[in-house]
């Protein structure tokens, strides 16, 4: 998994573990569906929450010249041909 998922999983695991150690009944929050998560993100986008993040990344990559180029994306005529011995 990724770091964000691992963080969520281990926090929930640790919380449940400590509740069980204290002879408490584990209190689990209901899971949020992916559709609900997307709705939350869309609402945050409408509120402009991501605007500063978008502007930051646009400043880091101001044009296509800064984008990552894969060998398959480069025109073949620009690739030097190997020298014959």
């Amino acid at each position: 998994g990724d770091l964000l998922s691992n963080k969520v999983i281990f926090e929930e695991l640790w919380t449940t573990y400590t509740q069980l150690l204290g002879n408490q009944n584990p209190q689990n929050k209901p899971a949020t569906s992916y559709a609900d998560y997307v709705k939350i993100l869309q609402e945050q986008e409408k509120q402009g929450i991501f605007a500063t993040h978008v502007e930051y990344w646009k400043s880091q990559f101001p044009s296509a010249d800064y984008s990552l180029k894969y060998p398959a994306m480069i025109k073949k005529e620009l690739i030097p041909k190997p020298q014959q011995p």
Side-chain angles (χ1 to χ4, degrees):
D2 59 72
L3 289 176
L4 181 60
S5 299
N6 287 342
K7 179 182 182 293
V8 171
I9 290 168
F10 286 114
E11 281 180 357
E12 289 182 12
L13 181 64
W14 184 255
T15 299
T16 302
Y17 178 72
T18 55
Q19 289 170 346
L20 289 172
L21 280 178
N23 291 325
Q24 299 173 352
N25 202 11
Q27 304 294 317
N28 297 323
K29 296 183 273 184
T32 303
S33 72
Y34 186 73
D36 290 338
Y37 173 69
V38 170
K39 287 178 186 175
I40 291 168
L41 290 178
Q42 288 173 334
E43 189 59 38
Q44 289 177 340
E45 183 179 17
K46 286 179 189 174
Q47 296 171 2
I49 291 175
F50 301 123
T52 56
H53 299 287
V54 170
E55 290 306 314
Y56 170 79
W57 287 111
K58 282 183 177 180
S59 73
Q60 297 301 303
F61 301 98
S63 71
D65 295 334
Y66 291 88
S67 63
L68 180 61
K69 305 268 190 295
Y70 292 99
M73 298 167 63
I74 300 172
K75 293 182 181 181
K76 287 187 178 185
E77 61 266 13
L78 298 177
I79 301 173
K81 295 183 180 178
Q83 299 285 334
Q84 296 293 333

